[in-house]
Coordinates of all heavy atoms in Angstrom, one line a residue:
M1 N -5.6 53.0 -3.0 CA -5.7 52.2 -4.1 C -6.8 52.7 -5.1 O -7.9 53.0 -4.6 CB -6.1 50.8 -3.7 CG -5.2 50.2 -2.6 SD -3.9 49.2 -3.4 CE -2.9 48.8 -2.0
E2 N -6.4 52.8 -6.3 CA -7.3 53.3 -7.3 C -7.6 52.3 -8.5 O -6.7 51.5 -8.7 CB -6.7 54.6 -7.9 CG -6.5 55.7 -6.9 CD -5.8 56.9 -7.6 OE1 -5.6 57.0 -8.8 OE2 -5.4 57.8 -6.8
I3 N -8.7 52.5 -9.1 CA -9.1 51.6 -10.2 C -8.1 51.8 -11.3 O -7.6 53.0 -11.6 CB -10.5 51.9 -10.7 CG1 -11.5 51.4 -9.6 CG2 -10.8 51.2 -12.1 CD1 -13.0 51.8 -9.9
G4 N -7.5 50.8 -11.9 CA -6.5 50.8 -13.0 C -5.1 50.6 -12.4 O -4.2 50.5 -13.2
Q5 N -4.9 50.8 -11.1 CA -3.6 50.6 -10.5 C -3.2 49.1 -10.5 O -4.0 48.3 -10.2 CB -3.7 51.1 -9.1 CG -2.4 51.1 -8.3 CD -2.5 51.7 -6.9 OE1 -3.5 52.2 -6.5 NE2 -1.3 51.7 -6.1
K6 N -1.9 48.9 -10.7 CA -1.3 47.5 -10.7 C -1.0 47.2 -9.2 O -0.4 48.1 -8.5 CB -0.1 47.4 -11.6 CG -0.6 47.4 -13.0 CD 0.6 46.8 -13.9 CE 0.0 46.8 -15.3 NZ 0.3 45.6 -16.0
V7 N -1.3 46.0 -8.8 CA -1.0 45.6 -7.4 C -0.5 44.1 -7.4 O -0.7 43.4 -8.4 CB -2.3 45.7 -6.6 CG1 -2.7 47.1 -6.3 CG2 -3.5 44.9 -7.1
K8 N 0.1 43.8 -6.3 CA 0.7 42.5 -6.2 C 0.0 41.8 -4.9 O -0.1 42.6 -3.9 CB 2.1 42.5 -6.0 CG 2.8 41.2 -5.9 CD 4.3 41.3 -5.8 CE 5.0 40.0 -5.7 NZ 6.5 40.1 -5.7
V9 N -0.4 40.6 -5.0 CA -1.0 39.9 -3.9 C 0.1 39.4 -3.0 O 1.0 38.7 -3.4 CB -1.8 38.7 -4.4 CG1 -2.4 38.0 -3.2 CG2 -2.9 39.1 -5.4
I10 N 0.2 39.9 -1.7 CA 1.3 39.6 -0.8 C 0.9 38.7 0.3 O 1.8 38.1 0.9 CB 1.8 41.0 -0.2 CG1 0.7 41.8 0.5 CG2 2.5 41.8 -1.3 CD1 1.3 42.9 1.3
R11 N -0.4 38.5 0.5 CA -0.8 37.6 1.6 C -2.2 37.2 1.4 O -3.0 37.9 0.7 CB -0.6 38.2 3.0 CG -1.5 39.3 3.4 CD -1.2 39.8 4.7 NE -1.9 39.0 5.6 CZ -2.8 39.4 6.6 NH1 -3.0 40.8 6.7 NH2 -3.4 38.7 7.4
L12 N -2.7 36.2 2.0 CA -4.1 35.8 2.1 C -4.6 35.7 3.5 O -3.9 34.9 4.3 CB -4.2 34.4 1.3 CG -3.8 34.5 -0.2 CD1 -3.8 33.1 -0.7 CD2 -4.7 35.4 -1.0
R13 N -5.5 36.4 3.9 CA -6.0 36.5 5.3 C -6.7 35.3 5.7 O -6.6 34.8 6.9 CB -6.9 37.8 5.4 CG -7.3 38.0 6.7 CD -8.4 39.1 6.8 NE -7.9 40.4 6.5 CZ -8.6 41.5 6.7 NH1 -9.8 41.4 7.2 NH2 -8.1 42.7 6.4
D14 N -7.5 34.8 4.8 CA -8.3 33.6 5.2 C -8.0 32.4 4.3 O -7.2 32.5 3.4 CB -9.9 33.9 4.9 CG -10.4 35.1 5.8 OD1 -10.0 35.1 6.9 OD2 -11.1 35.9 5.3
R15 N -8.6 31.2 4.7 CA -8.5 30.1 4.0 C -9.2 30.3 2.6 O -10.3 30.7 2.6 CB -9.1 28.8 4.7 CG -8.3 28.5 5.9 CD -8.8 27.2 6.5 NE -7.6 26.5 6.8 CZ -7.5 25.2 6.7 NH1 -8.4 24.5 6.3 NH2 -6.3 24.6 7.0
V16 N -8.6 29.9 1.5 CA -9.2 30.1 0.2 C -9.0 28.9 -0.6 O -8.2 27.9 -0.3 CB -8.5 31.3 -0.5 CG1 -8.9 32.6 0.2 CG2 -7.0 31.2 -0.6
S17 N -9.7 28.8 -1.8 CA -9.6 27.7 -2.7 C -8.1 27.7 -3.3 O -7.5 28.8 -3.3 CB -10.6 27.8 -3.8 OG -10.3 28.9 -4.7
S18 N -7.7 26.6 -3.9 CA -6.5 26.6 -4.5 C -6.3 27.5 -5.7 O -5.2 28.0 -6.0 CB -6.1 25.1 -4.9 OG -7.1 24.7 -5.9
T19 N -7.4 27.7 -6.4 CA -7.4 28.7 -7.5 C -7.0 30.1 -7.0 O -6.1 30.8 -7.7 CB -8.8 28.7 -8.2 OG1 -9.1 27.4 -8.6 CG2 -8.7 29.6 -9.4
I20 N -7.5 30.5 -5.9 CA -7.3 31.8 -5.4 C -5.8 31.8 -4.8 O -5.1 32.7 -4.9 CB -8.3 32.4 -4.4 CG1 -9.6 32.6 -5.2 CG2 -7.8 33.6 -3.7 CD1 -10.8 32.9 -4.3
A21 N -5.5 30.7 -4.1 CA -4.2 30.6 -3.5 C -3.1 30.8 -4.6 O -1.9 31.2 -4.2 CB -4.1 29.3 -2.7
Q22 N -3.3 30.3 -5.8 CA -2.3 30.5 -6.8 C -2.0 31.9 -7.2 O -1.0 32.2 -7.9 CB -2.7 29.6 -8.1 CG -2.7 28.2 -7.9 CD -3.3 27.4 -9.0 OE1 -3.8 28.0 -10.0 NE2 -3.3 26.1 -8.9
K23 N -2.8 32.8 -6.8 CA -2.7 34.2 -7.1 C -1.6 34.9 -6.2 O -1.2 36.1 -6.5 CB -4.0 35.0 -7.0 CG -5.1 34.4 -7.9 CD -4.7 34.4 -9.4 CE -5.8 33.9 -10.3 NZ -5.5 33.6 -11.6
L24 N -1.3 34.2 -5.1 CA -0.3 34.7 -4.2 C 1.0 35.1 -5.0 O 1.6 34.2 -5.6 CB 0.0 33.8 -3.1 CG 0.8 34.3 -1.9 CD1 0.1 35.5 -1.3 CD2 1.0 33.2 -0.9
G25 N 1.5 36.3 -4.9 CA 2.7 36.7 -5.6 C 2.4 37.2 -7.0 O 3.3 37.8 -7.6
K26 N 1.2 37.1 -7.5 CA 1.0 37.6 -8.9 C 0.6 39.1 -8.8 O 0.1 39.6 -7.9 CB -0.3 36.8 -9.4 CG -0.1 35.3 -9.5 CD 0.9 34.9 -10.5 CE 0.9 33.3 -10.6 NZ 1.9 32.8 -11.5
V27 N 0.7 39.7 -10.0 CA 0.4 41.1 -10.2 C -0.9 41.1 -11.1 O -1.1 40.4 -12.1 CB 1.5 41.9 -10.9 CG1 1.1 43.3 -11.3 CG2 2.7 41.8 -10.1
G28 N -1.8 42.0 -10.7 CA -3.0 42.3 -11.4 C -3.4 43.7 -11.4 O -2.7 44.6 -10.8
M29 N -4.5 44.1 -11.9 CA -5.0 45.5 -12.0 C -6.3 45.6 -11.3 O -7.2 44.8 -11.4 CB -5.1 45.9 -13.4 CG -5.5 47.4 -13.6 SD -5.5 48.0 -15.3 CE -6.7 46.9 -16.0
I30 N -6.4 46.6 -10.4 CA -7.6 46.9 -9.7 C -8.8 47.3 -10.7 O -8.6 48.1 -11.6 CB -7.5 48.0 -8.7 CG1 -6.5 47.7 -7.6 CG2 -8.8 48.4 -8.1 CD1 -6.2 48.7 -6.6
E31 N -9.9 46.5 -10.6 CA -11.0 46.6 -11.5 C -12.2 47.3 -10.9 O -13.0 47.9 -11.5 CB -11.4 45.2 -12.0 CG -12.4 45.2 -13.1 CD -12.6 43.8 -13.6 OE1 -13.2 43.0 -12.8 OE2 -12.2 43.5 -14.7
G32 N -12.2 47.2 -9.5 CA -13.3 47.9 -8.8 C -13.2 47.6 -7.3 O -12.2 47.1 -6.8
Y33 N -14.3 47.8 -6.6 CA -14.4 47.7 -5.2 C -15.5 46.8 -4.8 O -16.5 46.6 -5.5 CB -14.5 49.0 -4.5 CG -13.4 50.0 -4.8 CD1 -13.5 50.9 -5.8 CD2 -12.2 49.9 -4.2 CE1 -12.6 51.8 -6.1 CE2 -11.1 50.7 -4.5 CZ -11.3 51.7 -5.4 OH -10.3 52.6 -5.8
K34 N -15.5 46.1 -3.6 CA -16.5 45.2 -3.1 C -16.7 45.6 -1.7 O -15.8 45.7 -0.8 CB -16.1 43.8 -3.3 CG -17.1 42.8 -2.7 CD -16.5 41.4 -2.9 CE -17.4 40.4 -2.1 NZ -18.7 40.3 -2.5
V35 N -18.0 45.8 -1.4 CA -18.4 46.0 0.1 C -18.4 44.6 0.7 O -19.2 43.7 0.3 CB -19.7 46.7 0.2 CG1 -20.1 46.9 1.6 CG2 -19.6 48.1 -0.5
T36 N -17.7 44.4 1.8 CA -17.7 43.1 2.5 C -18.7 43.2 3.6 O -19.4 44.1 3.9 CB -16.3 42.8 2.9 OG1 -15.9 43.8 3.9 CG2 -15.3 42.8 1.9
D37 N -18.7 42.1 4.3 CA -19.6 41.9 5.5 C -19.3 42.6 6.8 O -19.3 42.0 7.8 CB -19.7 40.3 5.8 CG -18.4 39.7 6.1 OD1 -17.4 40.4 6.1 OD2 -18.4 38.5 6.5
G38 N -19.0 43.8 6.6 CA -18.6 44.6 7.8 C -17.2 44.7 8.2 O -16.8 45.4 9.2
R39 N -16.3 43.9 7.5 CA -14.9 44.0 7.8 C -14.2 44.9 7.0 O -12.9 45.0 6.9 CB -14.3 42.6 7.7 CG -14.9 41.6 8.7 CD -14.2 40.4 9.0 NE -13.6 39.8 7.7 CZ -13.0 38.7 7.8 NH1 -12.8 37.9 8.8 NH2 -12.4 38.2 6.7
G40 N -14.8 45.7 6.2 CA -14.2 46.7 5.4 C -14.5 46.7 3.9 O -15.5 46.1 3.5
I41 N -13.7 47.3 3.1 CA -13.9 47.3 1.7 C -12.9 46.4 1.0 O -11.7 46.4 1.3 CB -13.7 48.8 1.1 CG1 -14.6 49.7 1.8 CG2 -13.8 48.8 -0.4 CD1 -16.0 49.7 1.4
G42 N -13.4 45.6 0.0 CA -12.5 44.7 -0.7 C -12.2 45.4 -2.1 O -12.9 46.3 -2.5
V43 N -11.1 44.9 -2.6 CA -10.6 45.4 -3.9 C -10.7 44.3 -5.0 O -10.1 43.2 -4.7 CB -9.2 46.0 -3.8 CG1 -8.7 46.5 -5.1 CG2 -9.1 47.0 -2.7
V44 N -11.4 44.5 -6.0 CA -11.5 43.4 -7.1 C -10.3 43.6 -8.0 O -10.0 44.7 -8.6 CB -12.8 43.6 -7.9 CG1 -12.9 42.5 -9.0 CG2 -14.0 43.5 -7.0
V45 N -9.5 42.5 -8.1 CA -8.3 42.5 -9.0 C -8.5 41.5 -10.1 O -8.8 40.4 -10.0 CB -7.1 42.1 -8.1 CG1 -5.8 42.1 -8.9 CG2 -6.9 43.0 -6.9
K46 N -8.2 42.1 -11.3 CA -8.2 41.3 -12.6 C -6.7 40.9 -13.0 O -6.0 41.8 -13.0 CB -8.9 42.0 -13.7 CG -9.0 41.2 -14.9 CD -9.9 41.9 -15.9 CE -10.2 41.0 -17.2 NZ -11.1 41.7 -18.1
F47 N -6.6 39.7 -13.3 CA -5.2 39.2 -13.7 C -5.1 39.0 -15.1 O -6.0 39.1 -15.9 CB -4.9 37.9 -12.9 CG -4.9 38.1 -11.4 CD1 -6.0 37.8 -10.7 CD2 -3.7 38.5 -10.8 CE1 -6.1 38.0 -9.3 CE2 -3.7 38.7 -9.4 CZ -5.0 38.5 -8.6
D48 N -3.8 38.8 -15.6 CA -3.5 38.6 -17.0 C -4.3 37.4 -17.7 O -4.6 37.4 -18.9 CB -2.0 38.3 -17.3 CG -1.2 39.7 -17.0 OD1 -1.8 40.7 -17.1 OD2 -0.1 39.6 -16.8
D49 N -4.7 36.4 -16.9 CA -5.4 35.3 -17.4 C -6.9 35.6 -17.6 O -7.8 34.7 -17.7 CB -5.1 34.0 -16.7 CG -5.6 34.1 -15.3 OD1 -6.1 35.1 -14.8 OD2 -5.4 33.1 -14.5
N50 N -7.3 36.8 -17.3 CA -8.7 37.3 -17.4 C -9.5 36.8 -16.2 O -10.8 37.0 -16.1 CB -9.4 37.0 -18.7 CG -8.9 37.9 -19.8 OD1 -8.6 39.1 -19.6 ND2 -8.8 37.3 -21.0
S51 N -8.9 36.2 -15.2 CA -9.7 35.9 -14.0 C -9.7 37.1 -13.1 O -8.8 38.0 -13.2 CB -8.9 34.7 -13.3 OG -7.7 35.0 -12.8
A52 N -10.6 37.2 -12.2 CA -10.7 38.3 -11.2 C -11.3 37.8 -9.9 O -12.1 36.9 -9.9 CB -11.7 39.3 -11.8
T53 N -10.8 38.3 -8.8 CA -11.3 38.0 -7.5 C -11.0 39.2 -6.6 O -10.3 40.1 -7.0 CB -10.6 36.7 -7.0 OG1 -11.2 36.3 -5.8 CG2 -9.1 36.9 -6.7
W54 N -11.6 39.1 -5.4 CA -11.4 40.3 -4.6 C -10.5 40.0 -3.4 O -10.4 38.8 -3.0 CB -12.7 40.9 -4.1 CG -13.5 40.0 -3.1 CD1 -14.4 39.1 -3.5 CD2 -13.4 40.0 -1.7 NE1 -14.9 38.4 -2.3 CE2 -14.3 39.1 -1.3 CE3 -12.7 40.9 -0.8 CZ2 -14.5 38.9 0.1 CZ3 -13.0 40.6 0.5 CH2 -13.8 39.6 1.0
F55 N -9.8 41.0 -2.9 CA -8.9 40.9 -1.7 C -9.1 42.0 -0.9 O -9.6 43.1 -1.2 CB -7.5 41.0 -2.3 CG -7.1 39.8 -3.2 CD1 -7.2 40.0 -4.6 CD2 -6.6 38.7 -2.7 CE1 -6.8 39.0 -5.4 CE2 -6.3 37.6 -3.6 CZ -6.4 37.7 -4.9
F56 N -8.8 41.9 0.5 CA -8.8 43.0 1.4 C -7.6 43.8 1.1 O -6.6 43.3 0.5 CB -8.7 42.5 2.9 CG -9.9 41.8 3.3 CD1 -10.0 40.4 3.5 CD2 -11.1 42.5 3.6 CE1 -11.1 39.8 3.9 CE2 -12.2 41.9 4.1 CZ -12.3 40.6 4.2
E57 N -7.6 45.1 1.5 CA -6.5 46.0 1.1 C -5.2 45.6 1.7 O -4.1 45.9 1.1 CB -6.9 47.5 1.5 CG -7.9 48.1 0.6 CD -8.1 49.5 0.7 OE1 -7.0 50.2 1.1 OE2 -9.2 50.0 0.6
D58 N -5.2 44.9 2.9 CA -4.0 44.5 3.5 C -3.3 43.2 2.9 O -2.3 42.8 3.3 CB -4.1 44.4 5.0 CG -5.0 43.2 5.4 OD1 -5.8 42.8 4.5 OD2 -4.9 42.7 6.6
E59 N -4.0 42.7 1.9 CA -3.6 41.5 1.2 C -2.8 41.8 -0.1 O -2.2 41.0 -0.8 CB -4.7 40.5 0.9 CG -5.4 40.0 2.1 CD -6.6 39.1 1.8 OE1 -7.4 39.5 0.9 OE2 -6.7 38.0 2.3
I60 N -2.9 43.1 -0.5 CA -2.2 43.6 -1.7 C -1.3 44.8 -1.5 O -1.5 45.5 -0.5 CB -3.2 43.9 -2.8 CG1 -4.2 45.0 -2.4 CG2 -4.0 42.7 -3.3 CD1 -5.3 45.4 -3.4
K61 N -0.4 45.1 -2.4 CA 0.4 46.3 -2.3 C 0.7 46.8 -3.8 O 0.6 46.0 -4.7 CB 1.8 46.0 -1.6 CG 2.7 45.2 -2.4 CD 4.1 45.1 -1.7 CE 5.1 44.4 -2.6 NZ 6.4 44.3 -2.1
P62 N 0.9 48.0 -3.9 CA 1.2 48.5 -5.3 C 2.4 47.8 -5.9 O 3.3 47.4 -5.2 CB 1.6 50.0 -5.0 CG 0.9 50.4 -3.8 CD 1.0 49.1 -2.9
A63 N 2.2 47.5 -7.2 CA 3.3 46.7 -7.9 C 4.3 47.7 -8.6 O 4.0 48.8 -8.9 CB 2.7 45.9 -9.0

């Protein structure tokens, strides 16, 4: 996964807020990376509504 690549949210690994849950099935663009708490590297995804949040790599796929 590279910065600038379009991705689709395909699953949510953990319980999340309803705002983030609404991103399931949405397409966004990778904006950067996030170091998580020892479970790997997260990917920061920015959506068309200018919101951004991070996901684990197994929660997204190329769009």
Side-chain angles (χ1 to χ4, degrees):
M1 305 266 173
E2 299 178 7
I3 293 175
Q5 181 178 0
K6 288 196 177 229
V7 293
K8 182 176 185 176
V9 181
I10 57 169
R11 68 179 278 234
L12 300 171
R13 186 189 288 191
D14 298 318
R15 297 188 129 216
V16 294
S17 70
S18 62
T19 305
I20 294 173
Q22 292 174 358
K23 302 302 182 195
L24 190 60
K26 303 285 184 188
V27 174
M29 185 173 57
I30 295 177
E31 188 174 71
Y33 302 99
K34 174 181 174 56
V35 177
T36 63
D37 60 355
R39 296 192 326 181
I41 301 286
V43 180
V44 179
V45 178
K46 185 173 183 177
F47 297 93
D48 289 339
D49 64 359
N50 287 325
S51 65
T53 192
W54 69 273
F55 299 93
F56 290 106
E57 286 192 34
D58 64 342
E59 296 178 313
I60 58 176
K61 71 174 186 177

